[in-house]
Amino acid sequence: MEKEEKAKVIIPPKLAYGEKGCFPYVASDTDIECDIEIKEVQHVDIKSLSASEKLKYGNNKRLRGNYFYERGDFVDAIHCYERAIAYLDSIHDLSAYSAGLHSVELVLKVQPKNVKALFRKAMILGAQGFTDEAIVCLRFAASLEPDTRIIQVELNKFENKRKKEEQSQKAMYQRMFPQTSPRKSSSFSKALKWSLVTGSVLAVAVGMAAYRQYHS
């Protein structure tokens, strides 16, 4: 359709409100008749949107997905969640991470082996600093699609990141709690023993000299 065109559209129950309807407005198994007029045509490029616009569109799609999910219409719910994730993926913001994570987790409740959702969940967790959790998701995704290169690439990145984090923590602990080398410790122990022996001998000698002087 073009701008300013009008049309009458009849939507069958399967594509509308189905068996459940939308009480009290739409009865179950009811056709929906719509009069449509095209006022304006916009081609939205997600990349061109601002962060606030992406968050707005993403949340709207997520809420729509929640509606379908609660009705048990999982196909439409997943479609909405995937659209929501597409908007929210590129926003580096805590609220976007939370909304995106909520969406992928609902998808995974319905489709636990949805590789796309597993991958996106890993990316969100990784961006939030949950490296181990991200690795778990990516390993599962890799087991489902071992030939998907992007999964292997990101998995390697996170595993290398974890190794660096472990090395950094180890170095920090060593700086906080320095340990004396065994050789130095042994030398110190020997020196301590000799100093104790020498001290004991001197103490005995002084004691004997004092005793003799007292009884002379």
Side-chain angles (χ1 to χ4, degrees), residues 112-113 115 118 135-145:
K113 295 183 178 181
V115 175
L118 285 167
I135 289 173
V136 170
C137 289
L138 287 171
R139 283 178 176 171
F140 186 32
S143 70
L144 297 171
E145 290 188 8

Side-chain angles (χ1 to χ4, degrees), residues 1-2 4-11 32-39:
M1 294 179 66
E2 300 293 335
E4 298 182 354
E5 276 193 73
K6 296 180 181 180
K8 185 180 291 291
V9 179
I10 298 176
I11 306 171
I32 303 296
E33 187 174 303
C34 303
D35 291 316
I36 298 175
E37 180 180 356
I38 304 299
K39 294 289 188 180

Side-chain angles (χ1 to χ4, degrees), residues 90-105:
S90 59
I91 308 176
H92 303 291
D93 180 85
L94 290 178
S95 57
Y97 289 147
S98 177
L101 189 59
H102 176 73
S103 296
V104 294
E105 285 179 342

Side-chain angles (χ1 to χ4, degrees), residues 14-32:
K14 182 179 179 181
L15 300 177
Y17 293 97
E19 295 180 358
K20 294 186 178 181
C22 184
F23 182 83
Y25 307 105
V26 181
S28 63
D29 292 321
T30 301
D31 290 341
I32 303 296

